[in-house]
Amino acid sequence: MAIGFDYGTANCSVAHLNNGSVEQIPLVGDNCYIASTLCAPTAETVSEYLFRCLDIRPSNDIGESVLRRAVKMNREEGIEVIPSDVLFGEQALNLYLEDPKDVYYIKSPKSFLGAMGLRDMQLSFFEDLVCAMMSNVKRKAEANLERTIEQTVIGRPVNFLGRGGDASNFQAEGILLRAANRAGFKDVEFQYEPVAAGLEFESTLTENKNVLVVDIGGGTTDCSYIQMGPSWVGKDDRQQSLIAHTGQLVGGNDLDIYIAFRRFMHAFGMGTKRLSGLDIPVTQFWNPIAINDVQAQRKFYAHDNLKELRLLAKEALEPEKVNRLIALHQETLGYAVIREAEKAKIALEENAEYKAMLDLYSEHVGIEINQSDMAAAIDNPTKKIQALVKEAAQQAGTLPDVIYMTGGSARSSVLRKAVQDVLPNIPVVSGNYFGSVTAGLARWADVCFR
């Protein structure tokens, strides 16, 4: 049996074709989406969990070394790994929010795939994270369908990072492939996410059109200019219909990060000065919330950086604010801050103002933010998205008949206006913001494995 698998930055979902109709498969109760999050007692727990609880072995010698190291460290910590130790989705988030300091929590590991300059053991650990999440989704889907699933088409962005080029994309796709094989998928194909979304939109067309698909997901924005319609439906060779592609690591996570950085971090001392008159380094306010940058996270949460933060607090004109930054470090609250920024982003789609509440345990910090504040905060990622849209149209050499916007962040009125500003006279339509990629992947799986 074949499924389409959207291993997303924000959420994961799967679907299959049943008598010509796409059916999404519930993963958590009746919910067809599960947040792309994982929580465990320690990072090492994940690698041992795969082996001990799921009987999933590493894919190579480096993975074996990661597993041996994980088992050794877990024994030293007195941790006996059991299945309930590793949680996914909302369960993982809720446990993290209860006690951020004493658990290992990760959101959107897909954002790290393709990162260059990492050690082989780090890449192998990312593979373990992806494998654990894919295995969880696969087992839940199989339980729902009461069938074994061995074939899948997995969505991938045009560019995982936008820097690193082909080497970055090759590395990221390799991690996804090995993780999927280990999770139990024997046959794996990949499809660009915007092309998949386009395949779903194509099923609604009664005439051929030139369509610019703009997929603004949690981690990336991808654009594909596609010739589509009745003449193309069901064809297994679509190369001549695929006219242009652009993509970059800029999406919903970046919106949240920029909202947090430009609107929240002043409460942690950004903009304040030292007694000497010198500025506090901006990286100290960026790194804790840059959840899609593994190097930034490592630098901020390093033990040596805690000493630096305490020194900065002693030298600061407003030490009470910098002390909040210390609390953020000690309680590992970066993800919680981003969570509040995401809530603000969602709330401001329907409300003119929103009061964010940052829970630092020692105090609650309230920050007012309005729609204009948000639009100004996300100006940088907005311009990047506009550039991708413009580049795709330029590559195609002709204007599209219609723009199809999809992806969770495509709901943003700010981003929809930004896209319309680039191509002002082209109609913009949308379908299922969250499910179009999954549905298109299911359609492509039916073509690939029929």
Side-chain angles (χ1 to χ4, degrees):
M1 180 180 181
I3 62 170
F5 194 146
D6 182 9
Y7 179 70
T9 305
N11 297 286
C12 294
S13 60
V14 290
H16 70 118
L17 220 60
N18 186 10
N19 295 322
S21 298
V22 173
E23 290 186 357
Q24 282 195 257
I25 304 169
L27 299 175
V28 184
D30 294 331
N31 194 342
C32 294
Y33 302 94
I34 184 167
S36 300
T37 58
L38 179 151
C39 190
T42 64
E44 291 73 26
T45 303
V46 179
S47 299
E48 186 174 352
Y49 161 82
L50 287 173
F51 171 69
R52 194 167 304 284
C53 301
L54 303 184
D55 195 28
I56 296 176
R57 295 203 64 89
S59 60
N60 51 39
D61 290 342
I62 296 169
E64 293 284 357
S65 297
V66 171
L67 175 58
R68 287 194 297 270
R69 177 177 178 274
V71 172
K72 180 176 182 292
M73 294 185 69
N74 287 334
R75 296 292 87 69
E76 291 174 351
E77 294 290 328
I79 297 173
E80 296 291 336
V81 179
I82 58 176
S84 58
D85 279 341
V86 179
L87 301 177
F88 305 89
E90 288 299 314
Q91 283 187 316
L93 175 61
N94 291 338
L95 184 60
Y96 162 75
L97 293 176
E98 283 179 16
D99 196 354
K101 186 177 181 180
D102 290 333
V103 297
Y104 172 78
Y105 174 81
I106 186 165
K107 174 184 178 183
S108 310
K110 183 181 177 182
S111 297
F112 301 140
L113 303 186
M116 306 306 290
L118 300 180
R119 300 191 305 274
D120 287 342
M121 292 188 71
Q122 290 174 305
L123 297 175
S124 182
F125 175 64
F126 288 159
E127 183 185 312
D128 283 349
L129 289 174
V130 175
C131 181
M133 296 171 70
M134 284 187 168
S135 177
N136 179 61
V137 170
K138 182 176 183 289
R139 286 180 288 115
K140 287 181 178 295
E142 289 176 333
N144 185 281
L145 296 175
E146 298 182 344
R147 296 181 62 180
T148 299
I149 303 170
E150 295 185 338
Q151 298 173 315
T152 186
V153 173
I154 299 173
R156 54 150 290 185
V158 173
N159 289 306
F160 283 86
L161 289 182
R163 55 184 183 275
D166 290 341
S168 174
N169 291 329
F170 180 79
Q171 173 184 284
E173 192 171 288
I175 290 173
L176 289 175
L177 177 59
R178 291 189 297 274
N181 288 154
R182 291 172 64 197
F185 292 108
K186 293 183 179 179
D187 300 309
V188 179
E189 298 288 341
F190 292 94
Q191 180 58 275
Y192 285 153
E193 289 160 355
V195 172
L199 293 174
E200 174 61 10
F201 179 55
E202 182 178 61
S203 69
T204 69
L205 296 178
T206 58
E207 60 180 342
N208 291 343
K209 289 183 179 294
N210 293 328
V211 180
L212 177 60
V213 181
V214 181
D215 178 16
I216 309 176
T220 60
T221 293
D222 298 285
C223 302
S224 286
Y225 190 109
I226 312 171
Q227 294 176 344
M228 61 174 68
S231 298
W232 293 98
V233 172
K235 288 189 176 182
D236 57 4
D237 184 358
R238 295 293 302 251
Q239 282 304 115
Q240 290 186 343
S241 72
L242 306 179
I243 309 303
H245 304 287
T246 61
Q248 190 176 350
L249 185 70
V250 55
N253 278 350
D254 297 271
L255 305 183
D256 302 336
I257 289 167
Y258 271 89
I259 290 170
F261 180 64
R262 293 188 171 174
R263 301 306 308 170
F264 293 177
M265 297 313 290
H266 292 284
F268 294 85
M270 190 169 78
T272 191
K273 293 183 180 293
R274 307 185 204 198
L275 295 171
S276 63
L278 295 175
D279 292 327
I280 294 176
V282 173
T283 53
Q284 292 287 11
F285 306 100
W286 177 262
N287 287 349
I289 57 173
I291 61 169
N292 55 4
D293 186 335
V294 65
Q295 302 288 13
Q297 293 280 283
R298 182 182 295 119
K299 287 178 183 178
F300 181 78
Y301 288 110
H303 181 70
D304 287 347
N305 194 45
L306 180 58
K307 298 177 182 177
E308 177 66 19
L309 293 174
R310 285 172 172 160
L311 179 62
L312 288 174
K314 289 181 180 180
E315 297 176 347
L317 285 170
E318 299 177 277
E320 69 282 358
K321 290 185 177 180
V322 182
N323 282 331
R324 291 174 182 159
L325 197 61
I326 294 173
L328 192 154
H329 181 289
Q330 291 182 305
E331 301 295 336
T332 322
L333 293 174
Y335 282 110
V337 172
I338 291 299
R339 171 74 169 172
E340 191 60 26
E342 181 183 21
K343 289 167 64 176
K345 177 185 68 179
I346 294 170
L348 288 170
E349 277 301 307
E350 298 181 355
N351 302 281
E353 297 180 345
Y354 177 78
K355 185 171 184 178
M357 292 300 299
L358 305 181
D359 183 1
L360 305 181
Y361 294 94
S362 57
E363 64 172 324
H364 288 78
V365 181
I367 300 174
E368 299 282 353
I369 180 171
N370 59 42
Q371 291 177 341
S372 296
D373 294 332
M374 183 185 72
I378 64 174
D379 179 65
N380 182 285
T382 298
K383 288 180 178 177
K384 290 181 179 179
I385 291 170
Q386 286 182 308
L388 291 171
V389 172
K390 184 177 181 180
E391 181 186 352
Q394 289 176 338
Q395 282 185 23
T398 182
L399 293 176
D401 299 314
V402 62
I403 300 169
Y404 178 66
M405 290 189 67
T406 190
S409 296
R411 296 172 299 166
S412 167
S413 56
V414 174
L415 297 185
R416 291 178 71 84
K417 181 181 182 302
V419 170
Q420 288 179 311
D421 287 346
V422 176
L423 300 171
N425 298 315
I426 308 300
V428 176
V429 300
S430 58
N432 185 335
Y433 288 113
F434 291 100
S436 62
V437 170
T438 313
L441 292 171
R443 293 184 184 279
W444 193 242
D446 188 63
V447 172
C448 289
F449 302 116
R450 62 189 173 192

